[in-house]
Amino acid sequence: MLKESAVRQSLISNFLRVCEATAIEASLWAGRADKVAANSAAMKKVRQGLGDMSMSGHVVIGQRPLTSPAAPSNDNAAVASTGDVVLAPAADKKDPDILVAGETLGRGGDSLDIVVDPIEGTNLVANNQRNAISAIVFAPRATLLNAPVKRMAKIACGPAVPPETVDIDQTPEENIAAVARALHKPIKDVMVCILDRPRHANLIEHVRSLGARVKLVYDGDVQAALACAIPNTGADLMLGEGGGPEGVLACAGLKALGGFFQARFHFTEAREREAVAAACDFDVDQAISMDEMVRTNDIHFVATGITDGSMLKGVRHNPDGSIQTHSILVSSIDNTTSYITKVYRAGTIGSAISEPGLHDSIF
Ligand SMILES: O=P(O)(O)OC[C@H]1O[C@](O)(COP(=O)(O)O)[C@@H](O)[C@@H]1O
């Protein structure tokens, strides 16, 4: 368990501040069609901020270098469906700010596991589309799953659904029926979030054929998973395959929210399976529970909106030079969810980062 009171509060507010600063940085790149540069700038900001904190923060999951901005995987319907963008040349593969699994950040202090996604939805930022967030999870050391897996199948829903009624090994029909029962709504009103990818074409068609609604998510399945556990987002259930690191973030957030998350690794090559099996003390071919992914009930999940979304508003750059941020902080320790709106007056955070490339540290 983390130390109580003052230390914890100070950690929380510093993580929040880092998340806000990262989202502000990322927001400067919204619509600039350069996800590599956006990610690079956000990584620099997050590294700077976490590096200045009084903690010993163990990076559990490293980041994928974005080396080919204009070339999302050929299994990426988002680009086709939202309009491809011409993106800037690839950034240096050896970005010095990239977070590497196993490195420790901070000036020393509490020993923590951290999972960071400076931009969850890099295409969304590049195209200035909804639902891009910056997100950080922290928990006591050696509690968050460290599995080098690129892709996992996921299921997520909110706390109103009894966990024993939903399962990644059940059919979509069974899971949707369980959610409908728990939420006291007809199946026709159940909203299922699914990443808009060709690999999900059959799933999408099947869910629609059952009579449920489908919310196509172009990118950002962490936000989509969490939305299922947050009132008034319109999301009830998330199904489908997405990124591995995003799965750990979503699982931590949902555990803190009291919701449900389950996953199953999808290995793309034998080498990947071997590496993951070596890192895990459970059967990597079976469904993975929340407790296997997040081995603590002492979790803090922080996210700040970059662009507007169903869970959070994005960063506002006001005409007077002030900057407004909107964040969510979920703490499992006291079962609270806080929504934090902050205004940084002109000349505090804003003037320092008014243009990409021309700013100094805000910390
Ligand atoms: O595009 P893929 O390969 O299906 O990956 C899905 C993953 O991409 C995302 O949509 C966005 O990830 P990035 O921010 O790294 O671009 C994730 O939310 C999701 O888990």
Side-chain angles (χ1 to χ4, degrees), residues 64 73 76 119-122 151 154 195 197 199 219-221 242-243 246:
R64 292 181 291 250
S73 70
N76 189 342
I119 301 180
E120 157 61 348
T122 51
R151 186 68 66 75
K154 310 173 187 179
L195 269 176
R197 299 290 186 272
R199 63 176 177 271
D219 263 304
D221 66 352
E246 289 86 350

Tab-separated table of all heavy atoms in Angstrom, residues 64 73 76 119-122 151 154 195 197 199 219-221 242-243 246, ligand 1:
chain	number	residue	atom	x	y	z
A	64	ARG	N	5.458	2.243	-27.912
A	64	ARG	CA	5.765	1.868	-29.291
A	64	ARG	C	6.318	3.096	-29.982
A	64	ARG	O	5.677	4.146	-29.953
A	64	ARG	CB	4.462	1.498	-30.031
A	64	ARG	CG	3.803	0.247	-29.558
A	64	ARG	CD	2.551	-0.011	-30.390
A	64	ARG	NE	1.501	0.968	-30.123
A	64	ARG	CZ	0.371	0.682	-29.494
A	64	ARG	NH1	0.151	-0.512	-29.065
A	64	ARG	NH2	-0.537	1.613	-29.293
A	73	SER	N	-1.586	0.459	-39.359
A	73	SER	CA	-1.606	-0.904	-39.851
A	73	SER	C	-2.659	-1.030	-40.946
A	73	SER	O	-3.643	-0.295	-40.978
A	73	SER	CB	-1.962	-1.847	-38.716
A	73	SER	OG	-3.300	-1.648	-38.376
A	76	ASN	N	-6.596	-0.966	-40.369
A	76	ASN	CA	-7.012	0.237	-39.671
A	76	ASN	C	-8.064	0.975	-40.485
A	76	ASN	O	-7.759	1.752	-41.373
A	76	ASN	CB	-5.784	1.134	-39.449
A	76	ASN	CG	-6.113	2.290	-38.542
A	76	ASN	OD1	-7.284	2.614	-38.350
A	76	ASN	ND2	-5.105	2.901	-37.983
A	119	ILE	N	-0.294	10.226	-25.324
A	119	ILE	CA	-1.441	10.479	-26.212
A	119	ILE	C	-2.112	9.153	-26.505
A	119	ILE	O	-1.530	8.291	-27.155
A	119	ILE	CB	-1.025	11.126	-27.551
A	119	ILE	CG1	-0.305	12.452	-27.317
A	119	ILE	CG2	-2.255	11.327	-28.436
A	119	ILE	CD1	0.129	13.158	-28.603
A	120	GLU	N	-3.300	8.984	-25.994
A	120	GLU	CA	-4.094	7.798	-26.329
A	120	GLU	C	-5.017	8.250	-27.456
A	120	GLU	O	-5.997	8.965	-27.234
A	120	GLU	CB	-4.830	7.313	-25.073
A	120	GLU	CG	-6.079	6.482	-25.272
A	120	GLU	CD	-5.883	5.175	-26.024
A	120	GLU	OE1	-4.839	4.935	-26.628
A	120	GLU	OE2	-6.859	4.404	-26.042
A	121	GLY	N	-4.620	7.889	-28.682
A	121	GLY	CA	-5.349	8.342	-29.868
A	121	GLY	C	-4.499	9.323	-30.666
A	121	GLY	O	-4.895	10.479	-30.871
A	122	THR	N	-3.333	8.863	-31.116
A	122	THR	CA	-2.439	9.780	-31.840
A	122	THR	C	-3.064	10.224	-33.174
A	122	THR	O	-2.896	11.371	-33.580
A	122	THR	CB	-1.068	9.115	-32.086
A	122	THR	OG1	-1.272	7.835	-32.669
A	122	THR	CG2	-0.283	8.960	-30.795
A	151	ARG	N	-1.279	-6.937	-28.866
A	151	ARG	CA	-2.711	-6.940	-29.118
A	151	ARG	C	-3.433	-7.832	-28.131
A	151	ARG	O	-2.952	-8.904	-27.789
A	151	ARG	CB	-2.865	-7.463	-30.546
A	151	ARG	CG	-4.200	-7.468	-31.189
A	151	ARG	CD	-4.808	-6.164	-31.500
A	151	ARG	NE	-4.195	-5.313	-32.483
A	151	ARG	CZ	-4.225	-5.483	-33.805
A	151	ARG	NH1	-4.816	-6.512	-34.318
A	151	ARG	NH2	-3.700	-4.599	-34.603
A	154	LYS	N	-10.644	-7.764	-25.730
A	154	LYS	CA	-11.069	-7.118	-24.491
A	154	LYS	C	-12.588	-7.127	-24.367
A	154	LYS	O	-13.297	-7.081	-25.374
A	154	LYS	CB	-10.618	-5.645	-24.479
A	154	LYS	CG	-9.153	-5.444	-24.814
A	154	LYS	CD	-8.781	-3.965	-24.956
A	154	LYS	CE	-7.349	-3.826	-25.462
A	154	LYS	NZ	-6.909	-2.449	-25.663
A	195	LEU	N	-13.947	-0.966	-31.746
A	195	LEU	CA	-12.979	-0.253	-32.598
A	195	LEU	C	-13.326	-0.500	-34.067
A	195	LEU	O	-13.603	-1.640	-34.464
A	195	LEU	CB	-11.566	-0.752	-32.339
A	195	LEU	CG	-10.713	-0.047	-31.279
A	195	LEU	CD1	-9.381	-0.788	-31.121
A	195	LEU	CD2	-10.468	1.424	-31.562
A	197	ARG	N	-12.388	-1.368	-37.105
A	197	ARG	CA	-11.280	-2.026	-37.795
A	197	ARG	C	-11.858	-3.159	-38.653
A	197	ARG	O	-12.824	-3.820	-38.238
A	197	ARG	CB	-10.295	-2.651	-36.799
A	197	ARG	CG	-9.622	-1.667	-35.843
A	197	ARG	CD	-8.633	-0.762	-36.555
A	197	ARG	NE	-7.885	0.074	-35.633
A	197	ARG	CZ	-8.289	1.274	-35.197
A	197	ARG	NH1	-9.444	1.778	-35.603
A	197	ARG	NH2	-7.523	1.975	-34.373
A	199	ARG	N	-10.900	-6.067	-38.904
A	199	ARG	CA	-10.948	-7.347	-38.173
A	199	ARG	C	-12.237	-7.493	-37.367
A	199	ARG	O	-12.564	-8.588	-36.910
A	199	ARG	CB	-9.728	-7.472	-37.242
A	199	ARG	CG	-9.652	-6.434	-36.136
A	199	ARG	CD	-8.477	-6.658	-35.180
A	199	ARG	NE	-8.382	-5.624	-34.165
A	199	ARG	CZ	-7.703	-4.497	-34.286
A	199	ARG	NH1	-7.040	-4.251	-35.395
A	199	ARG	NH2	-7.680	-3.609	-33.314
A	219	ASP	N	-10.533	5.405	-32.794
A	219	ASP	CA	-9.296	5.173	-32.058
A	219	ASP	C	-9.588	5.479	-30.600
A	219	ASP	O	-10.497	6.228	-30.298
A	219	ASP	CB	-8.178	6.122	-32.536
A	219	ASP	CG	-7.268	5.472	-33.553
A	219	ASP	OD1	-6.715	4.406	-33.238
A	219	ASP	OD2	-7.124	6.021	-34.658
A	220	GLY	N	-8.770	4.900	-29.706
A	220	GLY	CA	-8.907	5.249	-28.297
A	220	GLY	C	-9.812	4.301	-27.540
A	220	GLY	O	-10.870	4.686	-27.038
A	221	ASP	N	-9.361	3.035	-27.389
A	221	ASP	CA	-10.248	2.101	-26.681
A	221	ASP	C	-10.105	2.163	-25.163
A	221	ASP	O	-10.908	1.557	-24.447
A	221	ASP	CB	-10.144	0.664	-27.236
A	221	ASP	CG	-8.804	0.010	-27.004
A	221	ASP	OD1	-7.873	0.684	-26.542
A	221	ASP	OD2	-8.694	-1.208	-27.280
A	242	GLY	N	-7.782	-4.714	-29.204
A	242	GLY	CA	-7.053	-3.447	-29.277
A	242	GLY	C	-5.652	-3.637	-28.735
A	242	GLY	O	-5.210	-4.765	-28.490
A	243	GLY	N	-4.971	-2.536	-28.500
A	243	GLY	CA	-3.576	-2.575	-28.066
A	243	GLY	C	-3.399	-3.197	-26.686
A	243	GLY	O	-4.269	-3.062	-25.815
A	246	GLU	N	-2.776	-0.469	-23.853
A	246	GLU	CA	-4.052	0.202	-23.591
A	246	GLU	C	-4.954	-0.690	-22.744
A	246	GLU	O	-5.778	-0.201	-21.969
A	246	GLU	CB	-4.759	0.542	-24.910
A	246	GLU	CG	-4.106	1.671	-25.702
A	246	GLU	CD	-2.981	1.206	-26.627
A	246	GLU	OE1	-2.566	0.024	-26.523
A	246	GLU	OE2	-2.515	2.011	-27.444
B	1	LIG	O1	-4.946	0.434	-34.701
B	1	LIG	P1	-4.827	-0.904	-34.012
B	1	LIG	O2	-3.601	-1.627	-34.419
B	1	LIG	O3	-6.055	-1.672	-34.162
B	1	LIG	O4	-4.601	-0.599	-32.463
B	1	LIG	C1	-5.626	-0.288	-31.599
B	1	LIG	C2	-5.118	0.694	-30.602
B	1	LIG	O5	-4.894	1.965	-31.237
B	1	LIG	C3	-5.547	2.982	-30.502
B	1	LIG	O6	-6.822	3.211	-31.080
B	1	LIG	C4	-4.763	4.274	-30.545
B	1	LIG	O7	-3.442	4.055	-30.182
B	1	LIG	P2	-2.339	5.182	-30.446
B	1	LIG	O8	-2.695	6.338	-29.631
B	1	LIG	O9	-1.057	4.550	-30.004
B	1	LIG	O10	-2.363	5.550	-31.898
B	1	LIG	C5	-5.731	2.375	-29.123
B	1	LIG	O11	-6.710	3.004	-28.356
B	1	LIG	C6	-6.064	0.963	-29.459
B	1	LIG	O12	-5.889	0.087	-28.383
